[in-house]
Amino acid sequence: MYRQLTREERTILNRFFDKWGLFDYFKEKNLLVREGKVREIFMMTDDAKDLALKKDPYLAGTKLYELRKHVSLALEGAHIFAENTSKKKIVVTDQAEALVLYGRDVFGQSIIEHTNDFEENEIVLITNSYGDAIGIGRTRYHSDRIQRQGVTVTNIADRGWYLRKETNFEM
């Protein structure tokens, strides 16, 4: 069942948006919550919002986050963030991009550039040289020390998951 955000949920999300420099971007967006095992936050057009509130389709809009104790960024949300923010990003080489898409972690020597605004153990966007979000990672070091030897960003989720996931289609 889809519903409007509560005041508390909106406050949590606004803090999250502000942390990423996207408060203004999401200020006027249509965001709805889909209740289930986990509260999922979707961004929708006006038409999709009306449909979701009236008829309760299984999916409507773009899934941005999961809301538990804190906000967990979804892969589609990461794509929107990568296009609209300049915070908490690392850019990797082409070879590292392929490895990330296979679920591998990021080595320090594979990082071409990065922003200087993240701490150790913080969520960052992993992007390719074109600025496309290819994954979400957790840093092992502060941004000042991120280009060390060995693994520096742990892969949490990546776009290759869609290809690796085994699904059984019945015809």
Side-chain angles (χ1 to χ4, degrees):
M1 179 84 172
Y2 287 91
R3 63 173 174 77
Q4 299 283 352
L5 294 167
T6 64
R7 186 174 178 169
E8 178 186 350
E9 289 167 338
R10 188 53 145 169
T11 300
I12 292 168
L13 288 176
N14 284 342
R15 288 181 186 147
F16 183 73
F17 298 148
D18 190 47
K19 179 178 167 182
W20 287 84
L22 291 168
F23 180 81
D24 290 333
Y25 178 81
F26 282 103
K27 189 187 298 186
E28 300 299 322
K29 300 292 185 204
N30 290 319
L31 301 177
L32 292 181
V33 177
R34 184 170 143 232
E35 293 285 350
K37 292 179 183 178
V38 175
R39 291 178 291 172
E40 299 171 310
I41 311 298
F42 287 81
M43 182 173 71
M44 303 180 189
T45 64
D46 290 334
D47 293 337
K49 178 182 174 184
D50 293 340
L51 174 72
L53 290 172
K54 290 177 186 171
K55 300 201 180 211
D56 192 33
Y58 179 69
L59 290 176
T62 303
K63 180 180 172 183
L64 300 177
Y65 327 94
E66 291 182 354
L67 195 56
R68 295 181 176 133
K69 287 185 179 180
H70 11 104
V71 181
S72 297
L73 189 60
L75 284 171
E76 291 307 312
H79 180 71
I80 292 170
F81 274 42
E83 290 178 340
N84 295 291
T85 189
S86 58
K87 292 189 173 192
K88 301 180 190 301
K89 286 187 195 179
I90 63 164
V91 180
V92 296
T93 64
D94 292 342
Q95 182 181 11
E97 176 184 2
L99 293 172
V100 167
L101 292 174
Y102 279 106
R104 303 282 302 276
D105 295 333
V106 177
F107 283 78
Q109 59 267 33
S110 300
I111 298 173
I112 299 171
E113 61 183 90
H114 62 84
T115 58
N116 290 319
D117 60 349
F118 51 83
E119 302 290 325
E120 179 180 333
N121 199 30
E122 200 166 15
I123 299 295
V124 293
L125 300 174
I126 304 170
T127 65
N128 62 15
S129 57
Y130 302 107
D132 302 324
I134 58 171
I136 301 168
R138 182 174 299 281
T139 61
R140 293 190 180 185
Y141 301 99
H142 185 277
S143 58
D144 295 341
R145 301 188 331 247
I146 198 74
Q147 291 182 310
R148 292 179 166 219
Q149 296 291 327
V151 176
T152 57
V153 178
T154 303
N155 185 342
I156 295 174
D158 61 85
R159 292 215 173 269
W161 176 85
Y162 293 115
L163 300 173
R164 292 191 309 272
K165 181 159 174 51
E166 293 181 12
T167 55
N168 297 321
F169 294 102
E170 292 184 23
M171 298 245 182

